[in-house]
Each structure stands twice: as C-alpha cells, then as structure tokens.
Amino acid sequence: MNKKLNSRLAPEDFVLVQLDEDLFDDSFVGQPVSYFGDALIRLSRNKSAIIAFGIIVFIIIMALFGPAMNQFGYNQQMVDRVNLPPRIPIFAKFGVFDGTRILYNRQVANLTDPSRYPEGSILETVRTFTSRDIAMADIKADMYKMHDVPDDINFWFGTDYLGRDLWTRTWRGARVSLMIAVIAVFVNIVIGTIYGAIAGYYGGKADMVMMRFTEIVGAFPQSILATMLILVLGTGIRAIIIALVVRGWIGTARLIRAQFLRFKGREYVLAARTLGVDDRKLIFRHILPNSIGPIITRAMIAVPGAIFSEAFLAFIGLGIQAPEPSMGVLLSDAQKVLTSYPYQTLFPAILISILMISFNLFGNGLRDAFDPTMRGVD
Amino acid sequence: MLKYVLKRLLAAAVTLFIILALAFAVVRLMPGSVYDDPNLDQAIIDMLIERAHLDKPIHIQFYYFLKGVVMDKDWGTSVKVEPGVPAFQVLANRIPVSLQINLISLLISVPIGIVAGIVAALQKNRGADTLISVGVIIFISVPSFVFASLMQYFLAYKLKLFPILYQPSAVGALRLKSMVLPIAALSLSPIATITRYLRGELIEVLGSEYMLLAKTKGLGRFKATVKHAFRNASLPMMNVIVPMFANIVGGSMVIERLFSIPGVGGTMIKSINANDHSLTVATLMFYAMISIGTALLVDLSYGLVDPRVRVGGKKDE
C-alpha cells in the first residue's frame, strides 16, 4: 500500500516551507521537572491522598497540643468524677454528648433524696415498674449534676474508671502510639537500607551470608518474637520499639538489595567508579537516591502496621506501663467496660481507625506518585 | 525436588528448635515465679523446685525439658492456669476451639474475597468497584478489635442479635450464633486482602493478549475472566492465602480475649500473667509451629510450581 501511495507522489508535489535560515528555539520553553517535582505533581492530583495527608497532619498537631488544651493531666485522678459521660457544649443542644446517662433499676422512694440525686440531676423518668413490691424506675440523669461538677467544666471525651480526663489521655495516647510507630519504622528503614545496600552492592559471598541471616531472622514469627522480647525486656516504650524493629527491617533490606542489584551495573555507576568515586559515595550518593521513592512509600505504609502491633501487644497484656496511655492501652481498658461506658471505646476507636485509613491512603498515593506504572493496581 | 524438600524441612526443624530453646530460656529468665507465693511453706517450695529441676543450671533444665518432650510428649505441667494438668493436655483441649474459629474464618474469607475481587476487576472504575475499593481500604486499615468492639456493642448489646460473648457450653444453634461475631471480626481483613490482591492481578492480565484471543474466540467477558484470567491469578494467590492463615491465628489472640473464647490465645495471655512457665513455652511453640508450617507450605508449593526457585534462592518479595 505504501508503495502505491509513493508512486503517486512526484517530487514536484513537495513544496519547501522555508529555506532561508536554520530553525532553532530561541530558548527552552518547557520547565525541567525533577523526580520529586514530578511525583509531587502526581500526588497533588490525588484527592484522597491529599485529604489523608491533611488528616494525618491534624492528628499529629492534636497529639502534640491536645493534652495541654485543658487543665487536666493525663494521670490526674478525680475520685468524685469517675466514668463521667462526654459532654461537648455544641453537641449538647442536639441531645448527644450532653453528659446524660440512663440509670436503670432505681428505687422511686430514693429519687427525691437530694443527697443521692441532687437538685436538677434527674431529667426524666424513662420507665416505671415494680419489682418485689418496690416501685422502681429507669431514669435519665445528668451525671455532671449528680457528681456536682460545675457547668463550665466539660469532659469532651468523658472520664475513665479512675476519673481521668479521656480527652487528655486520648491525645496523649495518640502521641505515644505515633511516637512508637515512627521511631520503630525509622530505625527499621535505616537498618534495612544500610544492610540491603551493603549486601546488594558487594554481592557475592557477603550477599549470600547476609541474605541467609535475614532468612533465619525472618523465619521467626513476628508475634512470638515480640512476645518473647517483651518478656525479657519488660513492658515499656523502648521494649515495644525493639520488638517492632527486630524483624521489621528485613523487608526494607530485601527491597533495597533488589534495587542495588538492578542499578549497580548501570553505565553511570561504571562512569563514576572510573572517575575514582569510592564505595561509600557510590552507594549513598549515586545508587541509593534511586530508591528514595520506594523507601518513603514503604515507611508510610509501615506506620499503620506498627500502630496496630502496639495496640495488639497492649491487648494481650504486654503494652506500655500504666499510667502512660497509648491507643492500645486505651482501647484495651475501655473494652472491659464496653457495654456500660461505650463512649470510652468510641473515641480511641474512631481515632485509631481514621489514623490507619489515612496512613494507608496517603501511602497508596505516594506509591502511585513515585511509580505511576503501579497506578490502579489496588 | 526431593533435595529441595529435605533442605526446607531441615531448615524449618532447625528454626523450630532455636525458637524452642529461646522460648525456654526467655521464660525461665523472666522475673517472678509462681513459687513466690508467701502462703506456701518453704519446704514445699523447695520440693516443687527440685521436682521441676529449677535448682539446676539452665542448660541442664533444658536438657530435662527436651528429654521430657521427646520421650513422653511431656511439655511440663501447668501450675497456675489449670493446676496439675499437663501443658500438652491444656493445649489439646483448647487448640480445637481456636482452630475451629480460625478455619471457618479462612473458609469464609476466600470465596467472598474471590467474588469481590472478580466483580471489582470487571467493573473497574465503575460504581461497584469504587464501593469495593472503599470497603477494602477500610477493612484493611481498621484493626479487627475495633470491629469486634463495634459489633459487640451494636449487634450484640443494642440489637441483641447475637450473644455478646462466646458460649462454650451451649450446643447447636446458640453456639453457632455465638461464633458469628468473632468469625466476622476475624474475616474482614483477610477478605479485603484477597480482594485487593485478586483485583490487582486480574486488572493486570485483563489487557493481555491471551485475553484478547479469548474474546476473539467468542467468550464473554465474564467467562473469559473466570476461565483464563482467574486461573492464572489463582496459583500465586495461594501464596497470599496460606500465610494469611498464620496471621488469622495470631490475630485471633486478641479476638479470643474479647469474646472470652477458651482458645490458645487466652491461655497464652493467662499463662504469661500467671508465670505459668511450662504453659507459656507450649503455647509459644504452638504459634511458632503454625507460622513456620505455613511458611514451609508456601516454600514447597513455590518450588513445585516454579522450578527456578529450587535452583536459586528465594524469590524476591
């Protein structure tokens, strides 16, 4: 077909557009876009990742400053204000979080006793009935009035079984959990990167020995290893971080090793070596930057995993020591009184859920941004 | 192939042995002892300590322990959680309860995950896919114990649809009913994991040439996906599902506690808090065996499916 078409065109059919001068752009019109700039552009188009990032920043700010936003300390016990339901002034108008609670099976005769039920504490009688010839009632009561709490003191998230303010404890718990997760992930990434870089760069025997070692460590189940370590080290923030690090660095090490195997034979590495660049500089200045994207993505996705592990350990009784709160400790304490005081579970549960969803969404966004070929895979 | 299998088996056995030794050492070196009870007579304490060989150096203790395990399947005797009962027996009573919950959860998650994954891939970027993807991100992110608490409060306590706690003594329908919530709490994350994996795999192959050929042959989109794409994706999926079982078993520690299920997880927590050393070692070994067993299964199936693995090292993750 091409031939036919060609045969129909004679040289005369072609007209030169111009022949007077050489054609050049007078300047570069496009802007050079760096690797990170490119990723940032892609990331900024990902709405869910941006929202998730905003939420993470908000939670971090609240974790830093939230505990100091009222006058109560995280370990300040108030015996006369135990298990108060939450009261949030704005919501109270709509009948939620208004500091009330339904009290079941109260004797009607006692309801008028002001020493038990102070003036104005009973809002309404939900149900009356008789049991063993005694008049009983279920009442809706203002718990703040009952415990003689002044009107201008509001426990936004309520108080726990020791009368500690849960607003303060929740945000402090978020701070502790985030701190544990971030430190553990950071240490994991640093160890894994250096280990993987050395194994991948030098290859050969060193690689074989080093990778065999990761296989051995990797064969230990994470939960067993963490349990045993905490049994030895005792419960505490440091012990939990160590328990999360011991096996956590392996994934990064494998990833970085694979990256090094891929890049170390490239021409630019050879060129740099010919110019006399030493090993350390080759590893960290020339080859490693190729892996920055995957490393950041991996770190972001590892954070919710670490938060989960901390909560998991708290649930099996190996959490950090009282009175320091963490998301896991709060949830595990609240679980014991779930049916009586569900609000104690509600706020930490919402917080940990939102935090983990946000980290996952942001991590996915980062991965798509750094590696567009992976887009839409999940 | 035989050499490969033997090598893997040996490696697994060595790992198990190291874990056993470590677990033994860790538990013995733990501060505190059941014999610290001030109500006990010193003579009795001395007798008990001597009987458990606790007065000897630790490597001798380990030797006696190993001898007991190998010769008479004697993992020591529980002293606090179920006083006087051999640790092996304590576990033998509880493993079926745990396994029942975990296996049912796995059996439920696999088909649901597969269906959801196929639907999401076929409906890519349309309504159903968006819905499933949102569900996936939520179920993967939110911890199982949060779901467990939510379901316990709303479904069990408020709506009274299910019992709040597991009912070990109930029989028939009530017992099944009491198992619904823990199983549901355990299954959400595995379902989401399978869905996400399968959707990714399918979307990758849906554009491939053999799918085009299948279409050209006259196969419908659904049939082509199930017959060709799914088949190709299902083999590597085994490597997601099998290790997941170890995760479910590990994760059920917390769920067992929340629902008061008399399983292995609860026993481990109790034995740790009560310094019941023999029992702690035995439960640790149970979990180690489950996860090393599943890892071994994955390794062997890899070797079976992909001969390259047998020659070289492990496939990179």
Side-chain angles (χ1 to χ4, degrees), chain A residues 189-214:
Chain A
I189 297 284
V190 170
I191 296 178
T193 302
I194 295 175
Y195 194 93
I198 293 173
Y201 181 77
Y202 290 105
K205 261 226 174 81
D207 180 38
M208 207 192 74
V209 172
M210 289 175 88
M211 282 299 117
R212 192 45 50 85
F213 180 68
T214 63

mmCIF file of all heavy atoms in Angstrom, chain A residues 189-214:
data_model
loop_
_atom_site.group_PDB
_atom_site.id
_atom_site.type_symbol
_atom_site.label_atom_id
_atom_site.label_comp_id
_atom_site.label_asym_id
_atom_site.label_seq_id
_atom_site.Cartn_x
_atom_site.Cartn_y
_atom_site.Cartn_z
ATOM 1 N N ILE A 189 13.870 1.329 58.729
ATOM 2 C CA ILE A 189 14.260 1.784 57.401
ATOM 3 C C ILE A 189 15.767 2.019 57.357
ATOM 4 O O ILE A 189 16.442 1.613 56.408
ATOM 5 C CB ILE A 189 13.493 3.077 57.036
ATOM 6 C CG1 ILE A 189 11.992 2.796 56.964
ATOM 7 C CG2 ILE A 189 14.012 3.659 55.739
ATOM 8 C CD1 ILE A 189 11.525 2.090 55.758
ATOM 9 N N VAL A 190 16.309 2.654 58.404
ATOM 10 C CA VAL A 190 17.745 2.945 58.398
ATOM 11 C C VAL A 190 18.552 1.639 58.383
ATOM 12 O O VAL A 190 19.426 1.444 57.530
ATOM 13 C CB VAL A 190 18.122 3.804 59.625
ATOM 14 C CG1 VAL A 190 19.635 3.888 59.758
ATOM 15 C CG2 VAL A 190 17.533 5.192 59.478
ATOM 16 N N ILE A 191 18.214 0.725 59.304
ATOM 17 C CA ILE A 191 18.956 -0.537 59.356
ATOM 18 C C ILE A 191 18.795 -1.296 58.043
ATOM 19 O O ILE A 191 19.777 -1.750 57.435
ATOM 20 C CB ILE A 191 18.460 -1.415 60.522
ATOM 21 C CG1 ILE A 191 18.748 -0.731 61.856
ATOM 22 C CG2 ILE A 191 19.146 -2.788 60.489
ATOM 23 C CD1 ILE A 191 18.249 -1.509 63.052
ATOM 24 N N GLY A 192 17.540 -1.409 57.590
ATOM 25 C CA GLY A 192 17.267 -2.177 56.373
ATOM 26 C C GLY A 192 17.981 -1.595 55.165
ATOM 27 O O GLY A 192 18.520 -2.330 54.340
ATOM 28 N N THR A 193 18.009 -0.256 55.077
ATOM 29 C CA THR A 193 18.641 0.383 53.926
ATOM 30 C C THR A 193 20.142 0.099 53.915
ATOM 31 O O THR A 193 20.699 -0.321 52.899
ATOM 32 C CB THR A 193 18.397 1.903 53.970
ATOM 33 O OG1 THR A 193 17.003 2.131 53.985
ATOM 34 C CG2 THR A 193 19.016 2.579 52.773
ATOM 35 N N ILE A 194 20.784 0.303 55.059
ATOM 36 C CA ILE A 194 22.232 0.100 55.100
ATOM 37 C C ILE A 194 22.558 -1.375 54.836
ATOM 38 O O ILE A 194 23.430 -1.696 54.017
ATOM 39 C CB ILE A 194 22.791 0.558 56.463
ATOM 40 C CG1 ILE A 194 22.591 2.069 56.596
ATOM 41 C CG2 ILE A 194 24.261 0.192 56.586
ATOM 42 C CD1 ILE A 194 22.977 2.625 57.937
ATOM 43 N N TYR A 195 21.807 -2.243 55.480
ATOM 44 C CA TYR A 195 22.058 -3.676 55.333
ATOM 45 C C TYR A 195 21.864 -4.120 53.881
ATOM 46 O O TYR A 195 22.719 -4.767 53.278
ATOM 47 C CB TYR A 195 21.099 -4.434 56.259
ATOM 48 C CG TYR A 195 21.434 -5.886 56.472
ATOM 49 C CD1 TYR A 195 22.208 -6.288 57.540
ATOM 50 C CD2 TYR A 195 20.946 -6.869 55.610
ATOM 51 C CE1 TYR A 195 22.505 -7.606 57.758
ATOM 52 C CE2 TYR A 195 21.235 -8.195 55.817
ATOM 53 C CZ TYR A 195 22.014 -8.564 56.893
ATOM 54 O OH TYR A 195 22.297 -9.876 57.095
ATOM 55 N N GLY A 196 20.703 -3.724 53.330
ATOM 56 C CA GLY A 196 20.397 -4.116 51.953
ATOM 57 C C GLY A 196 21.376 -3.524 50.959
ATOM 58 O O GLY A 196 21.770 -4.162 49.990
ATOM 59 N N ALA A 197 21.798 -2.268 51.227
ATOM 60 C CA ALA A 197 22.720 -1.609 50.317
ATOM 61 C C ALA A 197 24.058 -2.347 50.283
ATOM 62 O O ALA A 197 24.607 -2.606 49.207
ATOM 63 C CB ALA A 197 22.932 -0.162 50.754
ATOM 64 N N ILE A 198 24.547 -2.710 51.469
ATOM 65 C CA ILE A 198 25.840 -3.406 51.525
ATOM 66 C C ILE A 198 25.733 -4.766 50.835
ATOM 67 O O ILE A 198 26.568 -5.126 49.997
ATOM 68 C CB ILE A 198 26.307 -3.554 52.990
ATOM 69 C CG1 ILE A 198 26.619 -2.165 53.552
ATOM 70 C CG2 ILE A 198 27.521 -4.458 53.090
ATOM 71 C CD1 ILE A 198 26.932 -2.159 55.015
ATOM 72 N N ALA A 199 24.661 -5.504 51.165
ATOM 73 C CA ALA A 199 24.504 -6.833 50.568
ATOM 74 C C ALA A 199 24.387 -6.740 49.052
ATOM 75 O O ALA A 199 25.034 -7.478 48.312
ATOM 76 C CB ALA A 199 23.277 -7.532 51.153
ATOM 77 N N GLY A 200 23.581 -5.802 48.585
ATOM 78 C CA GLY A 200 23.354 -5.691 47.146
ATOM 79 C C GLY A 200 24.565 -5.160 46.414
ATOM 80 O O GLY A 200 24.894 -5.611 45.327
ATOM 81 N N TYR A 201 25.268 -4.209 47.022
ATOM 82 C CA TYR A 201 26.382 -3.570 46.347
ATOM 83 C C TYR A 201 27.573 -4.518 46.233
ATOM 84 O O TYR A 201 28.155 -4.672 45.166
ATOM 85 C CB TYR A 201 26.788 -2.307 47.100
ATOM 86 C CG TYR A 201 27.933 -1.568 46.443
ATOM 87 C CD1 TYR A 201 27.716 -0.790 45.314
ATOM 88 C CD2 TYR A 201 29.225 -1.667 46.944
ATOM 89 C CE1 TYR A 201 28.751 -0.131 44.690
ATOM 90 C CE2 TYR A 201 30.279 -1.007 46.334
ATOM 91 C CZ TYR A 201 30.040 -0.240 45.215
ATOM 92 O OH TYR A 201 31.069 0.405 44.600
ATOM 93 N N TYR A 202 27.928 -5.170 47.343
ATOM 94 C CA TYR A 202 29.114 -6.026 47.288
ATOM 95 C C TYR A 202 28.828 -7.382 46.671
ATOM 96 O O TYR A 202 29.701 -7.982 46.055
ATOM 97 C CB TYR A 202 29.725 -6.164 48.684
ATOM 98 C CG TYR A 202 30.356 -4.878 49.139
ATOM 99 C CD1 TYR A 202 29.741 -4.088 50.089
ATOM 100 C CD2 TYR A 202 31.539 -4.425 48.561
ATOM 101 C CE1 TYR A 202 30.291 -2.881 50.478
ATOM 102 C CE2 TYR A 202 32.097 -3.227 48.946
ATOM 103 C CZ TYR A 202 31.477 -2.463 49.901
ATOM 104 O OH TYR A 202 32.018 -1.272 50.270
ATOM 105 N N GLY A 203 27.582 -7.870 46.845
ATOM 106 C CA GLY A 203 27.204 -9.128 46.200
ATOM 107 C C GLY A 203 28.058 -10.292 46.667
ATOM 108 O O GLY A 203 28.707 -10.250 47.707
ATOM 109 N N GLY A 204 28.038 -11.357 45.887
ATOM 110 C CA GLY A 204 28.915 -12.494 46.141
ATOM 111 C C GLY A 204 28.717 -13.126 47.499
ATOM 112 O O GLY A 204 27.583 -13.288 47.969
ATOM 113 N N LYS A 205 29.827 -13.453 48.167
ATOM 114 C CA LYS A 205 29.770 -14.163 49.443
ATOM 115 C C LYS A 205 29.091 -13.332 50.518
ATOM 116 O O LYS A 205 28.240 -13.808 51.270
ATOM 117 C CB LYS A 205 31.206 -14.496 49.900
ATOM 118 C CG LYS A 205 31.594 -15.913 49.568
ATOM 119 C CD LYS A 205 32.265 -16.599 50.755
ATOM 120 C CE LYS A 205 32.515 -18.055 50.428
ATOM 121 N NZ LYS A 205 33.737 -18.250 49.610
ATOM 122 N N ALA A 206 29.472 -12.040 50.561
ATOM 123 C CA ALA A 206 28.883 -11.161 51.580
ATOM 124 C C ALA A 206 27.369 -11.174 51.438
ATOM 125 O O ALA A 206 26.629 -11.324 52.416
ATOM 126 C CB ALA A 206 29.415 -9.747 51.404
ATOM 127 N N ASP A 207 26.906 -11.056 50.197
ATOM 128 C CA ASP A 207 25.474 -11.037 49.934
ATOM 129 C C ASP A 207 24.828 -12.321 50.427
ATOM 130 O O ASP A 207 23.794 -12.303 51.089
ATOM 131 C CB ASP A 207 25.258 -10.856 48.427
ATOM 132 C CG ASP A 207 23.791 -10.834 48.063
ATOM 133 O OD1 ASP A 207 23.016 -10.262 48.855
ATOM 134 O OD2 ASP A 207 23.429 -11.388 47.021
ATOM 135 N N MET A 208 25.487 -13.452 50.084
ATOM 136 C CA MET A 208 24.892 -14.739 50.431
ATOM 137 C C MET A 208 24.752 -14.887 51.953
ATOM 138 O O MET A 208 23.688 -15.248 52.454
ATOM 139 C CB MET A 208 25.732 -15.878 49.879
ATOM 140 C CG MET A 208 24.948 -17.122 49.605
ATOM 141 S SD MET A 208 26.061 -18.489 49.289
ATOM 142 C CE MET A 208 26.649 -18.831 50.920
ATOM 143 N N VAL A 209 25.828 -14.558 52.661
ATOM 144 C CA VAL A 209 25.792 -14.691 54.115
ATOM 145 C C VAL A 209 24.740 -13.757 54.716
ATOM 146 O O VAL A 209 23.930 -14.139 55.563
ATOM 147 C CB VAL A 209 27.185 -14.405 54.720
ATOM 148 C CG1 VAL A 209 27.113 -14.347 56.236
ATOM 149 C CG2 VAL A 209 28.168 -15.449 54.256
ATOM 150 N N MET A 210 24.739 -12.525 54.223
ATOM 151 C CA MET A 210 23.818 -11.541 54.796
ATOM 152 C C MET A 210 22.363 -11.917 54.520
ATOM 153 O O MET A 210 21.495 -11.761 55.379
ATOM 154 C CB MET A 210 24.123 -10.149 54.240
ATOM 155 C CG MET A 210 25.423 -9.586 54.776
ATOM 156 S SD MET A 210 25.860 -8.019 54.018
ATOM 157 C CE MET A 210 25.027 -6.867 55.087
ATOM 158 N N MET A 211 22.105 -12.419 53.314
ATOM 159 C CA MET A 211 20.724 -12.770 52.997
ATOM 160 C C MET A 211 20.285 -14.030 53.746
ATOM 161 O O MET A 211 19.131 -14.159 54.129
ATOM 162 C CB MET A 211 20.570 -12.968 51.482
ATOM 163 C CG MET A 211 20.483 -11.666 50.729
ATOM 164 S SD MET A 211 19.053 -10.677 51.253
ATOM 165 C CE MET A 211 19.835 -9.232 51.922
ATOM 166 N N ARG A 212 21.224 -14.948 53.942
ATOM 167 C CA ARG A 212 20.879 -16.125 54.724
ATOM 168 C C ARG A 212 20.477 -15.718 56.145
ATOM 169 O O ARG A 212 19.537 -16.237 56.723
ATOM 170 C CB ARG A 212 22.088 -17.086 54.741
ATOM 171 C CG ARG A 212 21.857 -18.481 55.267
ATOM 172 C CD ARG A 212 20.601 -19.163 54.765
ATOM 173 N NE ARG A 212 20.393 -19.152 53.325
ATOM 174 C CZ ARG A 212 20.905 -20.038 52.488
ATOM 175 N NH1 ARG A 212 21.656 -20.996 52.929
ATOM 176 N NH2 ARG A 212 20.633 -19.960 51.209
ATOM 177 N N PHE A 213 21.205 -14.707 56.668
ATOM 178 C CA PHE A 213 20.878 -14.224 58.010
ATOM 179 C C PHE A 213 19.460 -13.643 58.050
ATOM 180 O O PHE A 213 18.703 -13.921 58.984
ATOM 181 C CB PHE A 213 21.907 -13.166 58.438
ATOM 182 C CG PHE A 213 21.652 -12.616 59.808
ATOM 183 C CD1 PHE A 213 21.816 -13.411 60.929
ATOM 184 C CD2 PHE A 213 21.216 -11.305 59.981
ATOM 185 C CE1 PHE A 213 21.568 -12.914 62.189
ATOM 186 C CE2 PHE A 213 20.964 -10.801 61.250
ATOM 187 C CZ PHE A 213 21.141 -11.617 62.355
ATOM 188 N N THR A 214 19.078 -12.876 57.026
ATOM 189 C CA THR A 214 17.716 -12.327 57.041
ATOM 190 C C THR A 214 16.688 -13.452 56.962
ATOM 191 O O THR A 214 15.627 -13.367 57.552
ATOM 192 C CB THR A 214 17.462 -11.370 55.864
ATOM 193 O OG1 THR A 214 17.567 -12.099 54.642
ATOM 194 C CG2 THR A 214 18.399 -10.208 55.855
#
